[in-house]
Amino acid sequence: MEECISVFDMLKIGVGPSSSHTLGPWRAAERFLGELRNELLLHAVTRVKIDLYGSLSLTGKGHATDLAVMLGLSGQDPEYIPIENIAAIIKSIESKNEINLANEKPIPFYFLQDIIFNKNFLPFHANGMTFTAFMNDDSEYISTFYSIGGGFVVKEERINAKKKIQIKCAFPYPTDKASELLAYCKNENKSISEIVFENEKSMRTEAVIDHELIRIWHTMLECMYIGCHSEGILPGGLNVRRRAFDMHQNLIGLANYNSPQSWLEEIRKTEVKFRQILKWVSCFALAVNEVNAALGRVVTAPTNGSAGVIPAVLMYYLVIENHQAGEKQIKQFLMVAGEIGSIFKKGSTISAAMGGCQAEIGVSSSMAAAALCELMGGTPEQVLMAAEIAMEHHLGLTCDPIGGLVQIPCIERNTMGAIKAINAAELALATDPENAKVPLDKVVETMWQTAKDMNNKYKETSEGGLAIAVNMADC
Ligand code: SF4
């Protein structure tokens, strides 16, 4: 039974550094507040505690899970909170030993004791968390959530209920598999982005779709702009130096601009030499992921750790491939990318805690490859082939962030994902789909099988790979 996943579910505006470990727990805390409100319990709460389990516990400190939970319980929205307010809110909670629950009810809160990092895993998913509210009549209200990747949060009972009820997707073109998507394109003589647009129109007006897609793009552009203009050392203790700033300075030289949009136009005027193309693409990807690592605002695409791939490839199209492209092409790109991401989410996973980095960088590269291929004139068959090629060469990629921080190997890995995406699009455009040996659906299945076979220490636990070979002191 097809699940309706919108492009706006796959591309969400949030705060770094992690969609599953920051955005998801933040949203879970908001949902917990919503439950308390619905039960008319919010003002009876005297204390709260949060138990983090599995991967959320093992890499939660580096991924700012504790901060995200505190911000969520404070009633802050990750999409709109001014980034500059975050540090002050956290500092106030820590110094006063008090949290202003839902921004309405101050209660005592001792973050070192009230956020508990349990090493064990809950059976349903690697990213579990339980919120407990203690009431003024000595009763307790307990709720468990799972952050399943890309900022998606579920409760086990909802998933089970959904299986029984079998809710029918309301999209005119419901899709679980790439083969179904291709059949719609052929039958209706439409591109993939046109099919996605029809689906989106069943949920919101054209004006809202346009507005929200462009808002996502502006957030991506601003994120790249901030990253290219920020120097210094990233937080967390690894002493990782930001590199986008110097790379950008060397590439752009003396140029005149004063906003993200005028910056984009200035880059378009810059004569990009062939050997600089890789540097520009890498610079855009580094910029996003440095902002992400610094707890800045990014677009989850499909996760925060992989948030740099899609903006970098879209910028590549705008500044290298097509200087005439505008909002029409940007919207088209985002819709195709979102649809490919949803196929991976439905058929495999976008959670590194379930599937390693193939689920993050691999999926983002596949999304970007497909989107670029459509903009460059690919047929729907070639677009799906581009997605397949990009993932085929990420299969088995492990997740082993040093110190549990989304910095090494994550930031550089986005540059690799972006460059592979461009290459995958080019290969697909140069290939007759009749000669394709591996359909996208097969690579989605293979990715899921590989995820299941992968040793747990390579699934966002920081207990294997680079995270063990190189510790924080070595850095
Ligand atoms: S290694 Fe990959 S999956 Fe793991 S945190 Fe970094 S970007 Fe995410």
Side-chain angles (χ1 to χ4, degrees):
M1 183 66 65
E2 293 89 356
E3 188 185 349
C4 282
I5 298 183
S6 159
V7 60
F8 301 108
D9 294 321
M10 298 308 302
L11 306 174
K12 298 195 256 302
I13 298 170
V15 171
S18 167
S19 47
S20 54
H21 289 55
T22 317
L23 185 59
W26 192 324
R27 290 293 186 205
E30 288 182 307
R31 278 179 56 177
F32 182 63
L33 292 180
E35 290 182 3
L36 290 171
R37 216 186 286 280
N38 289 344
E39 301 289 332
L40 304 178
L41 290 174
L42 189 65
H43 287 271
V45 177
T46 58
R47 242 189 79 214
V48 290
K49 85 171 165 95
I50 305 97
D51 285 275
L52 303 174
Y53 294 97
S55 175
L56 285 187
S57 168
L58 291 166
T59 61
K61 290 248 187 252
H63 287 55
T65 307
D66 44 358
L67 308 189
V69 162
M70 288 192 269
L71 290 162
L73 289 174
S74 303
Q76 303 297 328
D77 186 329
E79 197 170 332
Y80 295 103
I81 183 174
I83 296 297
E84 59 277 12
N85 290 1
I86 290 179
I89 295 169
I90 297 297
K91 195 167 168 210
S92 165
I93 295 170
E94 293 179 352
S95 62
K96 291 185 186 165
N97 292 323
E98 181 181 280
I99 195 163
N100 192 11
L101 202 61
N103 211 11
E104 287 179 28
K105 181 174 166 53
I107 55 168
F109 188 80
Y110 299 88
F111 77 99
L112 288 177
Q113 297 158 33
D114 292 334
I115 301 179
I116 301 152
F117 290 80
N118 301 281
K119 300 286 180 220
N120 57 310
F121 284 67
L122 297 182
F124 177 68
H125 190 279
N127 288 334
M129 72 206 107
T130 298
F131 293 80
T132 305
F134 301 91
M135 305 298 162
N136 55 14
D137 63 358
D138 289 336
S139 64
E140 295 176 2
Y141 182 87
I142 301 173
S143 203
T144 296
F145 299 88
Y146 300 90
S147 178
I148 60 169
F152 288 85
V153 172
V154 298
K155 299 192 77 165
E156 192 172 1
E157 55 266 37
R158 286 266 323 257
I159 287 274
N160 290 337
K162 204 167 83 176
K163 275 186 200 146
K164 281 179 209 139
I165 297 167
Q166 293 278 297
I167 301 164
K168 182 101 177 79
C169 176
F171 282 169
Y173 302 110
T175 306
D176 269 347
K177 292 183 179 294
S179 54
E180 295 164 348
L181 180 61
L182 184 58
Y184 292 134
C185 291
K186 284 182 170 171
N187 293 343
E188 305 289 328
N189 197 22
K190 288 184 190 295
S191 64
I192 290 176
S193 60
E194 286 169 337
I195 293 288
V196 177
F197 191 52
E198 291 303 317
N199 281 343
E200 292 296 334
K201 281 198 293 183
S202 69
M203 300 176 87
R204 39 186 74 82
T205 64
E206 287 186 30
V208 170
I209 297 167
D210 286 356
H211 178 267
E212 289 302 299
L213 286 172
I214 292 306
R215 193 163 73 93
I216 285 170
W217 163 242
H218 284 157
T219 307
M220 288 178 171
L221 182 62
E222 188 172 313
C223 182
M224 288 185 278
Y225 183 78
I226 291 170
C228 285
H229 295 87
S230 302
E231 294 182 84
I233 303 292
L234 292 171
L238 268 181
N239 291 321
V240 172
R241 199 175 134 72
R242 289 173 181 259
R243 283 181 288 173
F245 181 88
D246 286 340
M247 196 181 260
H248 175 255
Q249 282 297 305
N250 289 334
L251 286 166
I252 202 161
L254 292 174
N256 200 9
Y257 54 87
N258 58 12
S259 68
Q261 191 60 39
S262 60
W263 173 64
L264 168 59
E265 297 309 330
E266 200 61 32
I267 299 171
R268 280 176 144 178
K269 282 190 233 154
T270 308
E271 193 197 333
V272 177
K273 297 184 182 70
F274 180 68
R275 66 185 185 82
Q276 289 179 327
I277 294 175
L278 292 184
K279 282 190 190 165
W280 269 113
V281 173
S282 296
C283 179
F284 297 136
L286 289 179
V288 171
N289 290 85
E290 288 173 0
V291 169
N292 181 59
L295 278 69
R297 172 146 291 124
V298 299
V299 176
T300 301
T303 66
N304 281 26
S306 60
V309 174
I310 285 171
V313 175
L314 181 46
M315 277 295 266
Y316 165 82
Y317 182 75
L318 297 175
V319 304
I320 307 286
E321 289 290 343
N322 184 356
H323 286 192
Q324 309 311 317
E327 291 190 350
K328 177 173 176 279
Q329 289 80 5
I330 290 168
K331 289 183 280 190
Q332 196 179 343
F333 185 99
L334 296 177
M335 284 190 285
V336 176
E339 180 66 13
I340 298 301
S342 81
I343 288 172
F344 278 100
K345 179 164 180 353
K346 286 179 258 193
S348 183
T349 180
I350 57 166
S351 164
M354 295 299 279
C357 200
Q358 56 176 356
E360 292 206 9
I361 297 291
V363 173
S364 63
S365 186
S366 185
M367 293 162 72
L372 180 64
C373 187
E374 183 173 303
L375 288 193
M376 290 171 70
T379 63
E381 288 95 333
Q382 287 172 316
V383 170
L384 298 178
M385 192 196 298
E388 184 282 316
I389 294 170
M391 175 50 80
E392 189 177 316
H393 303 289
H394 282 95
L395 287 174
L397 190 64
T398 59
C399 170
D400 52 358
I402 296 175
L405 295 158
V406 193
Q407 297 181 14
I408 306 173
C410 319
I411 297 173
E412 275 180 9
R413 197 163 275 179
N414 279 264
T415 69
M416 301 299 164
I419 287 159
K420 277 195 205 178
I422 295 167
N423 200 23
E426 291 287 5
L427 287 173
L429 287 166
T431 306
D432 179 348
E434 291 293 317
N435 297 329
K437 303 284 183 222
V438 186
L440 178 56
D441 289 326
K442 279 285 166 217
V443 96
V444 173
E445 276 172 45
T446 306
M447 186 201 141
W448 181 230
Q449 191 55 50
T450 307
K452 288 192 282 185
D453 292 341
M454 192 181 278
N455 189 305
N456 274 343
K457 67 185 179 184
Y458 297 114
K459 296 182 187 175
E460 209 165 10
T461 59
S462 287
E463 291 186 331
L466 283 178
I468 291 297
V470 183
N471 60 39
M472 302 242 328
D474 292 329
C475 296

